Amino acid sequence: MTRVAVIGAGIAGLTAAKELQSLGYQVDVFEKSRGRGGRLASKRLSWATVDTGAQYFTARHPRFRREVSRWVDHGAAQPWQFTPHKLINGELHRSPDDTERFVGTPNMNSIAHQLATDLNLNLNITITSVERRNHSWYLTDQSEAEWGAYHWLVVAIPPAQARYLLAQHMSEVSEQEPLLLPCWATVLATKGAVCPTIQGVFGDKTVSWLSRLSAKPGRVKPAHSDDVWLLHFSPQHSADRQSDKSEQIIAEATSWLTTHLDSELAITHEYAHFWRYAHMATPNQQQNPNICQQQQLAVVGDWCQGGRIEGAYLSATNMVREMIA
Ligand code: FAD
Ligand code: NAD
């Protein structure tokens, strides 16, 4: 049986692993974190589980639309129906559109859990180097343990990390490496009334996106709170504030939220997370996966195809098609 190692359990790695396993390959997935999902992230706090990474996704490609239907059928995703608002000259305005948006349920990374069902997942394993010898791949982890032999290696991690791992093996990775910009995410639980139609806001140069997490389908509100809000600071502002402490960014988020919602809000709980690799500086729409049949090596991820959840999925499924062709 052909053995495949997949490094990274974000949506790209899990999708690649699931598709290859369904085609009869024997697949092992390696993930450095305690949980699966990568930037499709939900953080379990003592007072709530909150989406700190991707907030929602759109599905434009027919293949991805079919996959999203499967997630919906399994209860792992639902449409999030709301009219977006936009901040114009400091004021909130309705900004209606007919875009269909989806969220994972009950949390964004429920989708990762759905994809990972039946996969052989090795969590808390950071792959620190990879080596090809005798036509096979061998992986070394943070405790110097070796894993292998594998016929194929699929690398599904952000570009800077992929370049580091594959420096000796795939020059195309360094040539094509796009820049991923950072993002400060801040979550605030509040007490106080806010107009119920404000659910998702395209923001300004400071905060690029505001979600009312408690209005997404399937969410549970924390005790003694009326709402939970997520603020994503813009790439530029996040880069400028990357050495700030969480308390500083939370104070700035609180001030931004109360000013723009124009409401007397008491903060009941708070949380901040800094994403070092979040937003593609210049999203590409490349269709060709990075694949080397001779070395039996493939590189996938959102950054290979547009920088969003849909791009991560398509990058993986396109790679599998080319691998088996
Ligand atoms: P990742 O999710 O980054 O997965 C890579 C995985 O590899 C991670 O789990 C990492 O821990 C693991 N890893 C890395 N190195 C190693 C190693 N050496 N060994 C083992 N494991 C390793 N997209 C949307 O469509 N809609 C949104 O609203 C949206 N908002 C976003 C907001 C934020 C703050 C961020 C950060 C991203 C957002 N995105 C959004 C983008 C979306 O989250 C990504 O496009 C997608 O999740 C990327 O999936 P991936 O599998 O390519 O990579
Ligand atoms: P989408 O079509 O809803 O949004 C794409 C972009 O179009 C938005 O960022 C916004 O600028 C604009 N837009 C869409 N609808 C609008 C409306 N009604 N009024 C005003 N502007 C509107 O979704 P998508 O293309 O699937 O992108 C998903 C989301 O993921 C985007 O919001 C993107 O910014 C976000 N994202 C964020 C990060 C991060 O690090 N914060 C990283 C990757 C993607």
Side-chain angles (χ1 to χ4, degrees):
M1 194 184 260
T2 307
R3 296 190 72 206
V4 182
V6 175
I7 306 177
I11 186 155
L14 292 174
T15 300
K18 188 178 168 215
E19 297 242 327
L20 289 170
Q21 187 164 290
S22 72
L23 290 166
Y25 292 77
Q26 191 196 318
V27 184
D28 290 337
V29 183
F30 299 92
E31 168 57 49
K32 70 176 180 182
S33 309
R34 277 187 304 155
R36 63 223 77 185
R39 284 172 277 156
L40 191 64
S42 305
K43 173 79 181 168
R44 195 182 301 173
L45 301 166
S46 60
W47 46 276
T49 299
V50 292
D51 303 327
T52 55
Q55 290 301 297
Y56 67 84
F57 54 93
T58 53
R60 295 180 169 107
H61 192 285
R63 199 188 320 148
F64 186 54
R65 290 188 67 80
R66 284 195 295 277
E67 178 69 8
V68 173
S69 297
R70 278 191 284 273
W71 296 344
V72 171
D73 290 346
H74 282 101
Q78 270 185 49
W80 182 20
Q81 285 157 342
F82 65 98
T83 299
H85 281 67
K86 186 162 176 51
L87 207 55
I88 302 170
N89 298 328
E91 296 208 337
L92 284 180
H93 293 269
R94 276 165 45 84
S95 184
D97 59 25
D98 50 15
T99 304
E100 201 177 5
R101 297 180 173 87
F102 296 87
V103 292
T105 48
N107 302 299
M108 281 306 277
N109 80 0
S110 307
I111 292 162
H113 282 265
Q114 170 60 35
L115 284 170
T117 318
D118 301 331
L119 287 179
N120 183 22
L121 207 54
N122 299 283
L123 299 172
N124 291 314
I125 301 286
T126 303
I127 299 303
T128 52
S129 65
V130 297
E131 191 187 351
R132 187 154 171 83
R133 46 179 206 264
N134 303 328
H135 305 288
S136 296
W137 285 104
Y138 295 85
L139 283 51
T140 304
D141 70 19
Q142 77 275 20
S143 57
E144 301 291 321
E146 187 173 83
W147 302 76
Y150 294 101
H151 299 98
W152 270 88
L153 173 62
V154 176
V155 175
I157 63 183
Q161 293 158 322
R163 183 181 59 164
Y164 172 78
L165 265 190
L166 295 177
Q168 321 249 312
H169 303 284
M170 210 177 200
S171 56
E172 293 91 334
V173 174
S174 51
E175 284 160 22
Q176 293 175 1
E177 185 198 316
L179 185 61
L180 288 199
L181 303 171
C183 178
W184 262 113
T186 309
V187 183
L188 301 172
T190 56
K191 185 123 193 82
V194 176
C195 173
T197 61
I198 300 174
Q199 299 196 14
V201 178
F202 294 106
D204 57 15
K205 284 185 177 164
T206 304
V207 172
S208 52
W209 169 257
L210 170 69
S211 280
R212 192 176 202 155
L213 293 185
S214 43
K216 289 185 180 181
R219 267 60 178 177
V220 180
K221 279 185 202 171
H224 315 299
S225 307
D226 292 319
D227 284 301
V228 183
W229 304 90
L230 171 288
L231 296 85
H232 276 156
F233 283 86
S234 69
Q236 186 58 57
H237 200 78
S238 300
D240 293 345
R241 298 285 192 279
Q242 60 183 308
S243 356
D244 275 18
K245 294 203 162 64
S246 293
E247 306 87 74
Q248 291 169 286
I249 207 80
I250 285 169
E252 190 172 6
T254 304
S255 161
W256 191 97
L257 188 74
T258 47
T259 304
H260 292 101
L261 294 183
D262 194 19
S263 201
E264 291 285 322
L265 295 176
I267 308 297
T268 50
H269 302 280
E270 58 199 31
Y271 175 74
H273 177 78
F274 183 72
W275 291 98
R276 185 160 302 285
Y277 303 116
H279 212 288
M280 281 179 86
T282 348
N284 56 12
Q285 296 301 333
Q286 181 197 330
Q287 298 294 319
N288 304 318
N290 291 306
I291 186 160
C292 176
Q293 293 281 358
Q294 199 195 349
Q295 294 186 83
Q296 303 198 298
L297 168 64
V299 179
V300 295
D302 64 334
W303 55 279
C304 301
Q305 208 160 332
R308 300 179 299 114
I309 293 196
E310 180 170 29
Y313 172 84
L314 291 174
S315 144
T317 51
N318 282 338
M319 181 278 294
V320 171
R321 285 170 169 225
E322 193 165 320
M323 182 173 157
I324 61 172

